[in-house]
Amino acid sequence: MTKNIVVLGSLNADNIMKMPRMPLVGETMALTDVTTAPGGKGANQAVAAARQGANVSFIGAVGNDSNGQFMRATLLTNGVNVDAVTTNGDVPTGSAYIMLQESGANTILIHGGANQALTIADIDESVIANADTLIAQFEVPLDVIIAAFKIAKANHVQTILNPAPAVYQLTSELMQVTDIILPNETEAQLLSGITVKNDEAVLNRVSNAILSKGVSRCIITLGAAGSFVADGDKRWWAKPNKVKALDTTGAGDTFIGTLARVIESDFSNLDEAVKQASIASAIAVTRAGAIPSIPTYDEVATF
Ligand code: RIB
């Protein structure tokens, strides 16, 4: 059965600056390339779920500008319903400035714009109530995320939280309405207060610290090291698919959108969902950009 997924989140025009390495403070450095691509964690996750075959609707906002038109068109081209995307004429569409190093590693600066101007009044309750799964990230205001997750839980809709960037606390109010939380290693460190290392004992402690905030499932994505899953008392380290990374931008988002598409409502196939998500993100890092790099269902199935 086709899964109905709603993504509440950000829409950004990504300005990608390719550089040999991160510049030092005070240094002037020549970029090797500059490109623009559609992105934003919300948009990336929505497109990832759609390319895996889900029915996806988006709740978010753009400015009344060319980037807003670009982001709307990108969602529509990928089959994502934009009826609940509002246009806010007072602020620009969100944007990101991605410092992409030769190694494929990235550092991202964002300007929230319309994403940060989203309000609870912009939530279309019926869109959430009719979904199977709701996904959100931390690039829109926290009160909007909490309100949306409460609507979801009141309607037995599964909730997936990507606490990225890790700018808000994991309050018990939010954790009570969250089914799965998916931080990357940097976010897990900031949220748990424990230095994350690729070591089972450490990852156990970090997971325990996050679960102690009131959520039952945590998946820490570890880039080239795979992901560490905590599901109640069960723990396992999902090993990575070895690929040569060209650009890691959007790989975590691809993982989340794919996981949301595959996961059952009772979480019984979490292991399988993580495996599919790992394949999708492994494919994504071999290609440039966020949305342009996201694989289709067939590409994941034949990997
Ligand atoms: O996760 C990658 C995304 O983070 C980029 O597309 C950028 O827009 C920021 O939201």
Side-chain angles (χ1 to χ4, degrees):
M1 214 178 67
T2 308
K3 200 160 182 197
N4 293 313
I5 296 177
V6 177
V7 178
L8 163 68
S10 55
L11 297 151
N12 291 335
D14 286 353
N15 301 283
I16 305 161
M17 301 173 282
K18 206 160 181 193
M19 55 191 69
R21 56 170 171 79
M22 288 295 282
L24 303 171
V25 174
E27 181 181 13
T28 299
M29 181 188 275
L31 299 173
T32 52
D33 199 10
V34 186
T35 50
T36 306
K41 295 183 196 304
N44 301 341
Q45 293 171 20
V47 171
R51 288 193 185 159
Q52 291 308 306
N55 278 330
V56 185
S57 296
F58 202 92
I59 300 176
V62 292
N64 188 12
D65 50 27
S66 57
N67 281 340
Q69 286 164 14
F70 175 51
M71 290 311 302
R72 261 181 200 282
T74 299
L75 292 182
L76 283 170
T77 307
N78 284 281
V80 176
N81 184 304
V82 296
D83 290 354
V85 173
T86 57
T87 299
N88 184 336
D90 298 331
V91 278
T93 297
S95 51
Y97 303 86
I98 301 180
M99 292 178 266
L100 176 63
Q101 299 175 61
E102 217 99 275
S103 64
N106 66 59
T107 302
I108 302 178
L109 305 170
I110 51 172
H111 180 248
N115 301 316
Q116 277 303 325
L118 203 67
T119 69
I120 292 173
D122 293 317
I123 299 174
D124 184 332
E125 285 204 35
S126 67
V127 173
I128 297 175
N130 290 316
D132 298 306
T133 302
L134 171 64
I135 312 174
Q137 322 74 37
F138 278 177
E139 286 185 343
V140 295
L142 182 61
D143 61 335
V144 182
I145 298 169
I146 292 175
F149 273 30
K150 284 185 176 168
I151 295 167
K153 291 326 295 175
N155 290 280
H156 312 289
V157 174
Q158 188 177 58
T159 52
I160 297 181
L161 180 66
N162 173 218
V167 288
Y168 306 133
Q169 299 296 315
L170 303 181
T171 61
S172 64
E173 187 184 21
L174 177 61
M175 291 298 91
Q176 271 165 21
V177 286
T178 299
D179 290 321
I180 311 181
I181 186 166
L182 286 116
N184 68 12
E185 63 262 63
T186 310
E187 292 139 12
Q189 180 160 316
L190 287 165
L191 296 168
S192 68
I194 300 169
T195 304
V196 172
K197 291 191 187 127
N198 291 336
D199 170 284
E200 196 141 359
V202 174
L203 292 167
N204 252 307
R205 277 200 295 127
V206 174
S207 303
N208 290 344
I210 293 173
L211 294 195
S212 74
K213 302 194 185 276
V215 61
S216 301
R217 293 163 210 87
C218 172
I219 303 173
I220 304 171
T221 53
L222 300 164
S227 52
F228 191 80
V229 187
D231 179 10
D233 292 338
K234 285 183 248 152
R235 302 280 185 279
W236 70 95
W237 193 331
K239 297 298 172 199
N241 298 282
K242 297 259 182 255
V243 287
K244 183 164 169 26
L246 173 76
D247 179 355
T248 57
T249 312
D253 300 327
T254 301
F255 185 103
I256 291 164
T258 305
L259 183 113
R261 164 68 185 87
V262 178
I263 190 95
E264 299 285 353
S265 56
D266 61 359
F267 311 98
S268 54
N269 66 340
L270 189 55
D271 191 14
E272 180 56 26
V274 169
K275 280 187 189 145
Q276 297 290 316
S278 303
I279 292 173
S281 57
I283 296 171
V285 302
T286 65
R287 302 168 176 171
I291 286 179
S293 74
I294 298 169
T296 61
Y297 176 85
D298 286 345
E299 287 175 313
V300 173
T302 56
F303 179 75

